Amino acid sequence: MNPPSVRSTPNIDRLANEGVRLTQHLSAASVCTPSRAAFLTGRYPIRSGMASRFNLNRELTWLGASGGLPANETTFATLLQHRGYRTGLIGKWHQGLSCASRGDHCYHPLNHGFDYFYGLPFGLISDCQTSKTPELHRWLRIKLWISTVVLSLVPLLLLIPKFARWFAVPWKVILTFALLAFLFFISWYSSYGFTRRWNCILMRNDDIIQQPMREERVASLLLKEALAFIDRYKRSPFLLFVSFLHVHTPLITKEKFVGHSKYGLYGDNVEEMDWMVGKILETLDQERLANHTLVYFTSDNGGRLEVQEGEVKLGGFNGIYKGGKGMGGWEGGIRVPGIFRWPTVLEAGKVIDEPTSLMDIYPTLSYIGGGILPQDRVIDGRNLMPLLEGRVSHSEHEFLFHYCGVYLHTARWHQKDCATVWKVHYVTPKFSPDGADACYGSGICSCSGDVTYHDPPLLFDISRDPSEARPLNPDNEALFDSVVKKIEAAIKEHRRTLTPVPQQFSVFNTLWKPWLQPCCGTFPFCGCDKEDDVLSTAR
């Protein structure tokens, strides 16, 4: 999520001042799982099956589900691993875990090019804190509770005529309805009733360290592991992907940062993340690695506007940009920070306004590491080094396509012969209530169904109107028809490059499966805290 513009982030500010800032840096999706899949592989998530056709499950929602980043997808970690780099992931993964059995870990980071993993195989949701309102499928859960109560009333109501001697109701009928109500309750409560225990776990490589995780300690443990990784491999080439849990609801923040920011708890969480960034940069300085290390800072999507307590926003701020997380094409959901720092290579303080993508990190790291890009698949990212170094002045991206799940909502055209960036919206979400800036009624916007289709499409000149406040039309823009035709031709060409792949977000793949559920102990009695055992031993 995008942090608000504050001056209390000295370390991120330092990164920006000492590096190159990309002001039109774009994620390939406006929610975590598909965005991260594109980031890791350099490919639109629809190419790997990591895009959903359903509004309910647009991200992976269970660790015990069978979907994830396919084994035949090659991540940038794999490319660098093959070039002799030691690779590590500290933090959030959210790309799936197992395929067919609890321990196969086919989607695990260790099977996607990382030598070391410490963190959350899932991610951070409000369900991870017992004091917070459940977040996962909240409205579905309410409906399930109501259905359970209704079903439970049936056998009770059948007792009335029996005991009132109005008419005979066989006990067999009453007990059958009671059993049906009980089985219905168990069928959904066995997953949703234990979300924190099933999803909120901490792992080191293939081993579960905490189940459920102790959320108040996780940030400190992740930072400790990140610094230890640098210390272990400081004398050899290494890739360290630090995937912060910040700044994501439920905004778990150390006590010393609470109340520190004038932007409330969200600002406190941003400042804690900035402090963690500072500790990593400090370690690079102390080990004299800064001049030889490329540091990249970004986010996987924009802030989620719908998350708030009263009038206080907890989901983030997207500044002048319209929309937010979960909205397929609006700028607020996909325009993210982009900072590259490499003191001996890149010019400090440089600002680039060209359209760039998180998918670009894949070919960029391949180029830096001396790797060879796979030739058997389409790579949508572009090597950024010529642009970052100033050897070229324009991004290689002429067109970028913005999906919401599997549905193409928006496309962007960066004219090669000028600085104009056109953006066309074919589909936009319906904000609720009317006149709002987000989907407060449902909690997150839909990709299909409750959306608005535009024919002719909405057209914006993003280079002059980044807030997408002034839609163009044939009456006020002479190039309207030619721009729309150009983009439609590019979309047709793009769609020709898509091939059918297994859908990782199919109904079956997204269901919670007890036999795939990671468990520390004997299922279903799962639970442990091995980090606490280590601390006790140390004492």
Side-chain angles (χ1 to χ4, degrees):
M1 298 179 188
N2 296 330
S5 179
V6 295
R7 297 190 62 80
S8 48
T9 53
N11 298 296
I12 297 173
D13 292 348
R14 175 193 163 195
L15 262 185
N17 292 331
E18 295 178 357
V20 178
R21 282 194 298 125
L22 304 176
T23 62
Q24 200 175 156
H25 203 42
L26 305 159
S27 63
S30 61
V31 293
C32 303
T33 302
S35 175
R36 287 165 179 262
F39 170 68
L40 287 161
T41 64
R43 289 153 51 82
Y44 287 109
I46 195 170
R47 296 193 190 279
S48 58
M50 293 294 281
S52 175
R53 61 180 67 253
F54 306 105
N55 290 320
L56 183 63
N57 293 318
R58 290 168 56 191
E59 306 177 87
L60 295 176
T61 51
W62 297 107
L63 265 183
S66 54
L69 186 64
N72 63 350
E73 289 293 327
T74 304
T75 68
F76 57 69
T78 300
L79 293 180
L80 293 185
Q81 190 182 56
H82 291 164
R83 298 296 299 170
Y85 283 72
R86 301 309 300 261
T87 56
L89 168 58
I90 309 296
K92 174 181 172 180
W93 174 238
H94 212 179
Q95 296 294 300
L97 192 60
S98 296
C99 297
S101 62
R102 183 170 293 133
D104 68 30
H105 289 181
C106 63
Y107 305 125
H108 193 284
L110 298 190
N111 286 325
H112 275 298
F114 292 98
D115 297 310
Y116 183 74
F117 171 64
Y118 184 96
L120 283 67
F122 186 70
L124 187 63
I125 54 177
S126 295
D127 303 67
C128 293
Q129 270 192 312
T130 54
S131 60
K132 298 294 183 180
T133 302
E135 173 185 345
L136 182 62
H137 297 161
R138 182 183 173 190
W139 295 110
L140 175 60
R141 277 199 243 193
I142 291 172
K143 292 176 182 177
L144 289 170
W145 270 117
I146 293 172
S147 300
T148 301
V149 171
V150 171
L151 285 173
S152 301
L153 286 174
V154 173
L156 294 176
L157 292 173
L158 289 175
L159 290 173
I160 295 175
K162 183 173 183 68
F163 287 113
R165 299 177 184 270
W166 295 342
F167 54 85
V169 180
W171 280 108
K172 189 175 183 179
V173 173
I174 296 173
L175 291 175
T176 298
F177 277 105
L179 179 61
L180 287 174
F182 176 74
L183 291 175
F184 175 77
F185 173 71
I186 291 297
S187 70
W188 68 266
Y189 194 79
S190 58
S191 55
Y192 287 110
F194 303 92
T195 304
R196 180 170 180 261
R197 188 166 296 274
W198 296 155
N199 278 349
C200 307
I201 70 175
L202 187 66
M203 295 183 76
R204 176 184 283 112
N205 294 327
D206 288 308
D207 300 322
I208 298 174
I209 302 299
Q210 289 181 347
Q211 186 177 20
M213 68 177 184
R214 292 172 59 179
E215 67 276 358
E216 72 280 358
R217 290 178 50 201
V218 171
S220 297
L221 292 172
L222 296 181
L223 179 59
K224 174 186 169 187
E225 288 288 335
L227 301 183
F229 184 90
I230 295 172
D231 183 63
R232 278 200 303 275
Y233 301 115
K234 60 189 176 185
R235 299 293 176 250
S236 60
F238 69 83
L239 166 75
L240 175 59
F241 176 15
V242 181
S243 182
F244 294 108
L245 303 185
H246 304 62
V247 279
H248 196 295
T249 52
L251 299 177
I252 298 167
T253 311
K254 282 184 180 179
E255 188 175 345
K256 72 175 183 178
F257 289 98
V258 174
H260 196 262
S261 167
K262 64 181 180 179
Y263 291 91
L265 185 58
Y266 182 83
D268 296 340
N269 204 240
V270 171
E271 292 189 12
E272 183 181 18
M273 178 181 66
D274 179 80
W275 172 77
M276 295 172 72
V277 169
K279 289 295 181 183
I280 294 172
L281 296 179
E282 182 182 295
T283 299
L284 292 176
D285 289 336
Q286 289 174 349
E287 299 295 344
R288 299 183 179 181
L289 296 172
N291 287 342
H292 311 290
T293 304
L294 171 65
V295 177
Y296 172 54
F297 179 84
T298 192
S299 174
D300 52 1
N301 51 253
R304 185 176 174 186
L305 304 180
E306 293 89 352
V307 182
Q308 53 187 22
E309 288 183 0
E311 297 299 316
V312 180
K313 283 190 174 291
L314 299 179
F317 301 79
N318 296 321
I320 66 170
Y321 303 114
K322 186 172 185 175
K325 179 177 179 177
M327 305 179 201
W330 290 123
E331 209 74 353
I334 55 177
R335 192 180 287 221
V336 294
I339 302 173
F340 284 83
R341 190 195 75 166
W342 195 353
T344 57
V345 177
L346 303 180
E347 178 186 344
K350 185 175 183 177
V351 177
I352 296 175
D353 296 323
E354 298 285 302
T356 55
S357 170
L358 262 67
M359 296 184 290
D360 297 337
I361 197 67
Y362 182 92
T364 302
L365 291 182
S366 175
Y367 171 81
I368 292 171
I372 299 175
L373 291 176
Q375 301 299 306
D376 61 345
R377 65 199 65 190
V378 176
I379 301 297
D380 298 297
R382 299 292 182 264
N383 176 19
L384 287 175
M385 285 308 293
L387 185 65
L388 295 172
E389 292 178 300
R391 288 184 275 131
V392 300
S393 56
H394 291 293
S395 165
E396 284 190 45
H397 289 291
E398 184 178 7
F399 296 96
L400 283 166
F401 307 99
H402 306 300
Y403 284 86
C404 191
V406 298
Y407 306 100
L408 181 66
H409 277 201
T410 309
R412 181 182 316 245
W413 175 32
H414 179 213
Q415 282 190 257
K416 288 183 177 180
D417 55 349
C418 65
T420 303
V421 179
W422 304 100
K423 189 176 175 189
V424 164
H425 289 266
Y426 296 96
V427 186
T428 55
K430 288 183 180 178
F431 294 158
S432 60
D434 290 340
D437 62 349
C439 301
Y440 296 100
S442 58
I444 191 167
C445 292
S446 298
C447 291
S448 61
D450 193 22
V451 296
T452 301
Y453 295 91
H454 301 281
D455 186 12
L458 297 178
L459 176 65
F460 297 93
D461 179 352
I462 290 294
S463 47
R464 296 181 182 179
D465 178 25
S467 300
E468 298 174 279
R470 301 185 298 276
L472 304 173
N473 57 62
D475 295 329
N476 61 18
E477 177 52 65
L479 297 175
F480 183 92
D481 290 331
S482 61
V483 169
V484 170
K485 286 180 181 178
K486 180 76 172 179
I487 292 175
E488 286 178 349
I491 290 172
K492 288 180 181 178
E493 184 61 32
H494 163 68
R495 283 178 168 153
R496 287 194 194 100
T497 69
L498 301 178
T499 55
V501 291
Q503 295 302 302
Q504 301 302 319
F505 290 85
S506 67
V507 173
F508 176 77
N509 278 341
T510 53
L511 289 175
W512 179 73
K513 303 171 182 66
W515 61 91
L516 295 185
Q517 177 59 49
C519 182
C520 186
T522 303
F523 186 84
F525 306 104
C526 309
C528 63
D529 188 348
K530 297 178 183 178
E531 282 289 353
D532 196 45
D533 294 342
V534 171
L535 289 173
S536 299
T537 303
R539 293 193 192 101

